[in-house]
């Protein structure tokens, strides 16, 4: 899955949070990811069988990725996004955003799913969730999170699929707490595919 520009709105406004995202999925499992943020000068790359790294191109520094050791949602910095149809539907992620904001240290909204996942993988964020999302948005980043020791499911806690339209990714230590905070604000899991398309 190739997304030549994840974070289009950021790009059009000159905000540095946009990237190129390339993910390899084999038999439904993300196995390799590359996320390159040119304005930030950073490349995250690797996969579960290859190891994962963050390369700072400006300083020529490479370090392995490792998810954050923070164990409570109260101390966690998490990220999310909002669907493009938020003006036309009540299913807009705002209630879930408020709930997680009240339970965590903060919720970021930077406009690029691939970068949000890369930042979970490198320990900057403890978690990220989003619904109504496309496979090319999450294929690369989900491989990075798993390879860095994190956990990826859908927001209902079920097995993650890049084509499932929804993701919850964490350092693993705050995963259940994030799912618990989201649960009252999600549609019934039997409706999740319909609501994500």
């Amino acid at each position: 899955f190739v997304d030549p520009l994840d974070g289009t709105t950021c790009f059009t406004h000159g905000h540095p949070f946009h990237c190129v995202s390339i993910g390899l999925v084999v038999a439904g499992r993300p196995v390799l990811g590359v996320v390159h943020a040119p304005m930030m000068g950073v490349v995250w790359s690797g996969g579960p069988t290859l190891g994962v790294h963050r390369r700072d191109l400006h300083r020529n520094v490479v370090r392995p990725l490792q998810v954050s050791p923070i164990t409570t949602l109260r101390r966690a910095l998490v990220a999310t996004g909002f669907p493009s149809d938020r003006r036309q539907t009540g299913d807009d992620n705002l209630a879930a955003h408020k709930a997680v904001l009240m339970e965590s240290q903060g919720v970021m909204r930077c406009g690029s799913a691939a970068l949000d996942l890369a930042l979970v993988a490198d320990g900057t964020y403890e978690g990220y969730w989003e619904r109504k999302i496309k496979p090319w948005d999450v294929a690369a980043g989900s491989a990075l999170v798993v390879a860095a020791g994190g956990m990826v499911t859908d927001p209902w806690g079920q097995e993650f699929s890049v084509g499932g339209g929804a993701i919850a990714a964490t350092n693993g230590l705050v995963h259940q707490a994030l799912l618990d905070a989201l649960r009252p604000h999600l549609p019934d899991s039997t409706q999740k595919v319909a609501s994500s398309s």
Side-chain angles (χ1 to χ4, degrees):
F1 291 92
V2 178
D3 190 350
L5 181 55
D6 186 31
T8 307
T9 300
C10 291
F11 176 79
T12 59
H13 287 271
H15 191 290
F17 269 73
H18 59 271
C19 67
V20 177
S21 175
I22 303 169
L24 176 63
V25 177
V26 176
R29 298 184 59 163
V31 296
L32 180 66
V34 177
V35 176
H36 177 204
M39 286 186 71
M40 296 170 62
V42 180
V43 177
W44 296 261
S45 62
T49 61
L50 302 171
V52 283
H53 299 87
R54 173 182 168 142
R55 179 181 300 273
D56 183 328
L57 301 175
H58 298 307
R59 294 182 295 156
N60 197 27
V61 174
V62 179
R63 68 174 174 88
L65 297 184
Q66 179 65 48
V67 294
S68 163
I70 287 177
T71 59
T72 64
L73 188 59
R74 182 67 65 184
R75 293 184 54 226
L77 182 63
V78 298
T80 193
F82 299 95
S84 59
D85 68 352
R86 64 189 174 275
R87 293 179 184 92
Q88 290 81 38
T89 177
D91 187 11
D92 53 19
N93 200 33
L94 290 172
H97 176 269
K98 180 180 179 181
V100 176
L101 181 62
M102 299 304 287
E103 294 294 325
S104 66
Q105 191 167 30
V107 178
M108 306 299 290
R109 197 288 192 208
C110 292
S112 166
L115 279 176
D116 287 335
L117 287 163
L119 292 168
V120 172
D122 76 10
T124 302
Y125 297 156
E126 282 68 48
Y128 161 76
W129 87 93
E130 193 163 350
R131 294 181 40 249
K132 299 185 179 182
I133 197 142
K134 303 298 184 189
W136 50 86
D137 295 320
V138 295
S142 58
L144 298 174
V145 170
V146 171
M151 179 179 289
V152 179
T153 67
D154 73 10
W156 294 266
Q158 298 170 4
E159 185 175 356
F160 171 70
S161 165
V162 295
I167 188 168
T170 71
N171 63 355
L173 302 171
V174 302
H175 202 84
Q176 190 59 52
L178 178 62
L179 297 181
D180 290 346
L182 293 174
R183 185 171 294 112
H185 309 287
L186 298 173
D188 184 280
S189 62
T190 61
Q191 301 170 12
K192 66 182 177 177
V193 174
S195 67
S196 66
S197 56

